[in-house]
């Protein structure tokens, strides 16, 4: 079955108060299922489960003690003790935990286990098979498995069984990365939107030399991004990979690219890749790339864009509801894919809304049946949307306290984000959550979304951004859900870390110092020694196992 698409085209309207009758209806709809229907509480005695997960936004604290988690505990009599690890430390801390044998009852959260880890930990018994538990205790999961082929196949391991569930949000987005340019500077300098890599160079040069911020100081940073920050299986949102599409080779953290004809190729030994790196060196050598791209994190990049206001071009997940405040949205524009020196123009498609390894029960769990019942309850449609977007809130006096879902003024009986109520003196990164959100494992189908949510503003703006790139997208996503055998995983574990580290080191060196042409042959020879051919062959085999899922699109 094709991936479901939802293209939200209705513009965001200003919030206004709804009548008492609408609020009363929402309250009734949100609680219209009796305890008998849901067999609540799930346990007569209070039971505690220990869950370990990745905290993707550690700047906002106490997501494990949110209003909605308290509500779930009251309803189910299930208490959750959390161990939340910041994303940069997640892989290391997870490995330490597993090696020590001091396992949680479950791993819980978006992408907390990779596909390779699922296969390995299923084989050694660290995580348990979920098929029977789902069949007996999780009708909400069963429904999605039966109705969505992509979710069903991605969730299953290579032996056909389920050991970890995937997070699923049925979105119509096609790209993670968005290139954003400060149109205010273009207008001040009388420049048009760049369409080619050559024009992009001259625009960046003008940003650096012609004082577009008007302070009389050459403090503008023409182009900034994050340089391959974090684990290789992450969503690529703020990196520089989009530049490579203009040179005819679409790069990504694993340097494996599936061409539109289905050919699996390694990127980082191609002439096109070399030309892209040479171009980046030209930008860097002339001071057009932020020298801190190799060391900065998301928070520092945010600070430069939002507060220093001295970045001309940067990469992010979306333009609005992210780095820049609402009053400056019109100062920026989405930069379309650039045309390269040989006429290439493309953008990396992303598989959006499905993250493997987002819930897995370990062998240490003494009551997996009850834990699966709790998971199923969190996936009741009205609970899933609250876990993912914010707790329902009908008390107008609380609308500005934290992130909630509030009654939609445009669609009676539906909910929308309360973004317009954020206090002006509170930074978006510091506005508290009413639900786990960046920690939660959820399944949101299109049916569930349409039943409860009206035009979530961040979804609307992301769809607007994606429309710019849709005509240029690659056929296959860069973040394909590859399936590997245990033998292939063992071989990848030997090859991949050294290979990717070498490429990352050399690319950074060449961007800063140049000399890629002089050192290229030696570099390619070293890739051979690091078994790049075997590495590519493994990915070819893995792709062939899932190719049919995307050829039907």
């Amino acid at each position: 079955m094709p991936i479901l698409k939802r293209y939200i085209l209705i513009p965001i309207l200003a919030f206004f108060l709804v009548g008492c009758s609408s609020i009363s209806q929402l309250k009734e709809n949100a609680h219209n299922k009796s305890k008998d229907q849901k067999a609540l509480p799930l346990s007569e005695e209070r039971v505690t489960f220990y869950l370990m997960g990745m905290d993707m936004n550690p700047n906002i604290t106490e997501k494990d003690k949110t209003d909605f988690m308290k509500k779930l505990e009251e309803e189910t009599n299930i208490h959750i003790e959390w161990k939340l690890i910041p994303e940069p430390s997640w892989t290391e801390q997870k490995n330490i935990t597993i090696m020590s044998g001091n396992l949680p009852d479950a791993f819980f959260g978006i992408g907390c286990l990779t596909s390779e880890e699922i296969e390995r930990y299923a084989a050694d018994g660290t995580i348990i098979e979920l098929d029977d538990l789902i069949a007996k205790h999780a009708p909400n999961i069963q429904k999605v498995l039966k109705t969505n082929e992509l979710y069903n196949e991605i969730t299953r391991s290579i032996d056909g069984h389920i050991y970890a569930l995937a997070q699923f949000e049925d979105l119509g987005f096609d790209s993670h990365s968005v290139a954003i340019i400060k149109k205010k500077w273009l207008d001040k300098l009388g420049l048009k939107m760049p369409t080619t890599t050559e024009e992009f160079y001259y625009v960046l040069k003008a940003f650096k030399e012609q004082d577009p911020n008007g302070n009389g100081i050459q403090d503008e940073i023409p182009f900034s991004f994050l340089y391959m920050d974090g684990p290789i299986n992450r969503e690529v949102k703020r990196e520089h990979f989009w530049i490579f599409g203009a040179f005819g080779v679409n790069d990504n953290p694993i340097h494996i690219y599936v061409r539109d004809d289905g050919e699996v190729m390694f990127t980082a030994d191609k002439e096109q890749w070399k030309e892209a790196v040479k171009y980046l060196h030209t930008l860097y050598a002339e001071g057009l790339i932020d020298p801190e791209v190799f060391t900065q994190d998301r928070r520092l990049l945010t600070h430069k864009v939002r507060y220093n206001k001295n970045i001309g071009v940067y990469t992010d997940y979306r333009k609005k509801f992210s780095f820049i405040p609402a009053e400056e949205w019109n100062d920026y524009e989405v930069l379309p894919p650039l045309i390269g020196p040989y006429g290439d123009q493309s953008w990396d498609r992303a598989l959006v809304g499905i993250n493997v390894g987002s819930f897995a029960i370990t062998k240490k769990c003494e009551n997996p049946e009850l834990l699966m019942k709790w998971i199923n309850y969190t996936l009741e449609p009205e609970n899933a949307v609250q876990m993912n977007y914010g707790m329902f809130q009908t008390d107008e006096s609380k609308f500005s306290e934290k992130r909630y879902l509030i009654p939609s003024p445009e669609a009676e009986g539906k909910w929308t984000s309360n973004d317009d109520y954020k206090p002006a003196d509170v930074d978006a990164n510091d506005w508290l959550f009413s639900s786990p959100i960046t920690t939660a494992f959820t399944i949101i189908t299109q049916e569930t979304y349409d039943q409860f949510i009206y035009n979530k503003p961040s979804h609307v703006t992301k769809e607007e951004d994606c429309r710019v790139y849709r005509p240029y997208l690659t056929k296959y996503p860069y973040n394909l859900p590859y399936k590997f055998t245990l033998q292939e995983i063992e071989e990848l574990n030997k090859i991949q870390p050294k290979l990717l580290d070498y490429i990352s080191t050399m690319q950074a060196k060449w961007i800063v110092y140049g000399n890629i042409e002089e050192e290229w042959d030696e570099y390619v020879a070293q890739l051979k020694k690091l078994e790049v051919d075997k590495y590519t062959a493994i990915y070819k085999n893995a792709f062939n196992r899932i190719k049919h899922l995307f050829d039907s699109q």
Side-chain angles (χ1 to χ4, degrees):
M1 184 180 75
I3 303 174
L4 295 174
K5 298 286 185 184
R6 179 174 61 256
Y7 301 131
I8 306 171
L9 303 177
I10 304 173
I12 305 172
L13 302 177
F15 292 163
F16 56 87
L17 297 178
V18 295
C20 295
S21 61
S22 298
I23 291 179
S24 298
Q25 180 185 352
L26 284 169
K27 287 181 177 179
E28 181 180 354
N29 291 344
H31 304 287
N32 63 359
K33 293 186 179 180
S34 69
K35 287 189 176 183
D36 289 339
Q37 286 175 307
K38 293 183 178 179
L40 294 177
L42 298 178
S43 173
E44 292 302 320
E45 296 182 356
R46 185 173 182 266
V47 176
T48 296
F49 288 106
Y50 298 89
L51 304 188
M52 181 176 177
M54 176 168 55
D55 190 351
M56 299 182 72
N57 194 342
N59 299 329
I60 303 175
T61 58
E62 296 192 333
K63 289 185 290 299
D64 55 331
K65 301 175 184 177
T66 57
D67 298 347
F68 190 65
M69 289 306 301
K70 294 174 184 177
K71 176 179 180 292
L72 284 177
E73 182 169 341
E74 291 173 0
E75 293 174 344
T76 64
N77 215 11
I78 304 298
H79 174 70
I80 303 298
E81 285 287 338
W82 300 83
K83 184 176 182 181
L84 300 179
I85 308 297
E87 184 177 9
S89 307
W90 170 248
T91 300
E92 179 184 5
Q93 291 300 314
K94 173 177 57 179
N95 292 339
I96 291 173
T97 298
I98 292 174
M99 290 177 63
S100 71
N102 188 24
L103 295 169
D105 290 307
F107 292 103
F108 178 95
I110 297 174
C112 55
L113 295 177
T114 67
S115 297
E116 297 91 327
E117 288 171 335
I118 293 169
E119 298 292 343
R120 187 163 67 249
Y121 298 143
D124 67 16
T126 299
I127 58 177
I128 67 173
E129 183 183 320
L130 303 180
D131 301 61
D132 290 343
L133 291 171
I134 293 171
K136 294 176 181 177
H137 306 295
N140 290 313
I141 300 170
Q142 274 286 91
K143 182 178 179 181
V144 179
L145 290 170
K146 289 179 179 179
T147 58
N148 191 290
E149 180 188 6
L150 181 64
Y151 184 84
N152 181 55
E153 293 215 26
I154 285 178
T155 300
R156 296 186 182 278
S157 290
I158 203 164
D159 65 2
H161 294 292
I162 299 174
Y163 301 94
L165 291 166
Q167 178 266 351
F168 179 48
E169 187 177 3
D170 192 11
L171 302 173
F173 311 151
D174 307 295
S175 173
H176 281 318
S177 290
V178 175
I180 301 165
I181 189 167
K182 198 158 190 176
K183 187 176 182 294
K184 182 179 179 179
W185 286 4
L186 289 175
D187 294 341
K188 182 172 182 178
L189 300 178
L191 301 171
K192 65 176 184 178
M193 180 73 72
T195 60
T196 68
T197 50
E198 183 179 18
E199 290 175 0
F200 186 62
Y201 162 78
Y202 284 112
V203 163
L204 296 182
K205 195 171 179 64
F207 283 175
K208 175 181 173 60
E209 298 174 352
Q210 297 181 28
D211 192 30
N213 65 13
N215 66 356
I217 305 171
Q218 196 176 87
D219 60 348
E220 292 86 355
I221 300 174
F223 181 27
S224 193
F225 51 84
L226 305 183
Y227 181 75
M228 294 187 279
D229 178 55
I232 63 170
N233 294 291
R234 74 200 182 284
E235 296 176 352
V236 173
K237 296 180 180 179
R238 301 177 179 95
E239 286 79 357
H240 64 305
F241 291 115
W242 58 271
I243 288 286
F244 288 81
F247 289 84
V249 57
N250 294 76
D251 204 20
N252 55 64
I254 60 173
H255 304 295
I256 294 291
Y257 163 49
V258 183
R259 299 188 323 201
D260 288 357
D261 63 3
E263 180 67 25
V264 178
M265 59 179 286
F266 180 74
T267 60
D269 63 351
K270 303 295 183 292
E271 286 295 316
Q272 301 99 311
W273 190 89
K274 180 173 68 172
E275 291 302 312
V277 175
K278 287 169 68 175
Y279 175 77
L280 288 168
H281 168 64
T282 298
L283 301 185
Y284 190 93
E286 297 195 28
L288 308 182
I289 290 179
D290 185 350
E292 293 186 311
V293 295
F294 302 105
T295 57
Q296 68 184 351
D297 57 12
R298 177 181 180 272
R299 193 171 183 86
L300 179 55
L301 180 57
T302 303
H303 189 87
K304 291 175 180 178
V305 175
R306 176 178 281 264
Y307 300 109
N308 294 353
K309 304 182 188 301
N310 62 344
I311 302 292
V313 180
Y314 67 97
T315 312
D316 198 4
Y317 179 62
R318 57 178 175 253
K319 186 182 83 168
K320 301 175 183 177
F321 299 104
S322 189
F323 286 0
I324 49 181
E327 60 270 19
E328 296 179 16
W329 287 348
N330 291 333
D331 293 346
Y332 294 81
E333 192 57 81
V334 174
L335 176 66
L338 298 173
I339 301 171
Y342 311 109
D344 298 293
Q345 185 182 26
S346 66
W347 201 263
D348 281 336
R349 182 184 297 276
L351 182 62
V352 179
I354 299 184
N355 294 279
V356 300
S358 298
F359 175 73
I361 300 176
T362 76
K363 62 184 179 182
K364 286 297 182 75
C365 182
E366 296 181 358
N367 195 340
E369 294 84 4
L370 182 58
L371 181 53
M372 184 58 74
K373 289 179 181 178
W374 181 81
I375 284 293
N376 183 72
Y377 183 65
T378 69
L379 297 177
E380 289 288 339
E382 70 270 27
N383 290 335
V385 295
Q386 292 181 83
M387 288 280 279
N388 209 49
Y389 305 130
M391 186 176 179
F392 294 153
Q393 179 58 262
T394 56
D395 185 346
E396 181 196 347
S397 67
K398 296 183 179 181
F399 283 4
S400 62
E401 285 186 359
K402 58 186 71 173
R403 298 170 190 258
Y404 287 115
L405 285 176
I406 63 174
S408 168
E410 289 85 14
E412 187 173 347
K414 293 190 179 184
W415 305 82
T416 191
S417 302
N418 64 332
D419 299 278
D420 281 4
Y421 289 88
K422 183 184 71 65
D425 60 344
V426 176
D427 188 278
N429 287 323
D430 298 321
W431 202 24
L432 294 176
F433 287 127
S434 60
S435 298
I437 301 179
T438 62
T439 303
F441 152 69
T442 53
I443 294 178
I444 308 286
T445 64
Q446 183 178 6
E447 178 185 11
T448 296
Y449 184 96
D450 291 340
Q451 179 183 353
F452 290 96
I453 304 299
Y454 178 77
N455 282 356
K456 190 170 187 289
S458 59
H459 287 183
V460 174
T461 188
K462 181 60 179 175
E463 167 59 26
E464 291 171 351
D465 296 343
C466 282
R467 271 184 248 143
V468 175
Y469 298 110
R470 198 158 285 138
Y472 311 99
L473 291 173
T474 57
K475 178 179 178 179
Y476 297 101
Y478 81 88
N479 56 341
L480 285 160
Y482 294 103
K483 289 188 177 182
F484 302 99
T485 66
L486 285 175
Q487 181 180 352
E488 288 169 342
I489 290 170
E490 290 179 5
E491 291 174 337
L492 276 180
N493 287 340
K494 294 176 183 177
I495 298 171
Q496 194 168 54
K498 293 180 180 179
L499 180 66
L500 298 188
D501 183 64
Y502 178 65
I503 296 167
S504 176
T505 300
M506 294 303 294
Q507 183 182 161
K509 174 187 173 185
W510 287 329
I511 291 174
V512 175
Y513 301 109
N515 295 321
I516 189 172
E517 200 68 64
E518 294 81 356
E519 299 174 2
W520 184 252
D521 291 343
E522 181 182 349
Y523 162 77
V524 172
Q526 183 61 24
L527 292 178
K528 293 286 186 182
K529 293 179 181 178
L530 293 172
E531 299 187 275
V532 67
D533 292 336
K534 180 182 288 188
Y535 176 76
T536 306
I538 291 171
Y539 272 98
K540 284 183 178 180
N541 290 335
F543 173 68
N544 287 334
R545 299 182 185 112
I546 60 169
K547 184 175 183 291
H548 67 283
L549 290 173
F550 299 91
D551 285 346
S552 62
Q553 306 310 312

